């Protein structure tokens, strides 16, 4: 039993939670807090999951444009419904 707990502890440390791989920012139009999954800097044409903290919803969006500034990254994404959103993310 002692070895079982050691194995469980090691596996839980080696397998980080999904939230650790998210990138935080906000929606420019509404100021809603959002996170982007996956964490890496996307390119035009990539798809990302946009989680809206205020509505506790997640939506898969297409990245239309990426603009890097000195302290932020602006992502223009298109939702499945056809609407666009400008997301201001923490700088990389």
């Amino acid at each position: 039993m002692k070895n079982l707990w050691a194995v469980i502890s090691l596996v839980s440390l080696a397998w980080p939670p999904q939230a650790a791989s998210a990138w935080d920012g906000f929606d420019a139009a509404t100021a809603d807090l959002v996170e982007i999954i996956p964490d890496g800097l996307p390119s035009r044409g990539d798809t990302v999951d946009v989680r809206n903290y205020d509505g506790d919803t997640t939506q898969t969006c297409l990245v239309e444009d990426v603009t890097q500034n000195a302290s932020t990254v602006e992502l223009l994404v298109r939702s499945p419904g056809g609407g666009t959103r400008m997301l201001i993310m923490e700088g990389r």
Side-chain angles (χ1 to χ4, degrees):
M1 187 68 156
K2 187 175 184 179
N3 290 336
L4 177 63
W5 286 111
V7 170
I8 290 172
S9 297
L10 288 175
V11 169
S12 67
L13 290 174
W15 196 324
Q18 181 69 17
S21 64
W23 186 12
D24 295 322
F26 65 93
D27 186 311
T30 63
D32 290 345
L33 297 176
V34 298
E35 72 178 9
I36 300 294
I37 302 168
D39 186 27
L41 182 65
S43 299
R44 184 179 176 156
D46 289 347
T47 57
V48 293
D49 290 331
V50 179
R51 180 169 182 263
N52 188 342
Y53 284 114
D54 294 341
D56 197 27
T57 58
T58 302
Q59 189 175 52
T60 301
C61 297
L62 177 68
V63 177
E64 291 199 341
D65 193 31
V66 179
T67 305
Q68 293 184 337
N69 299 313
S71 60
T72 62
V73 176
E74 298 175 4
L75 298 177
L76 180 63
V77 298
R78 181 168 301 278
S79 67
T84 58
R85 298 171 73 183
M86 176 63 70
L87 306 176
I88 311 298
M89 309 307 293
E90 297 172 341
R92 294 284 167 164

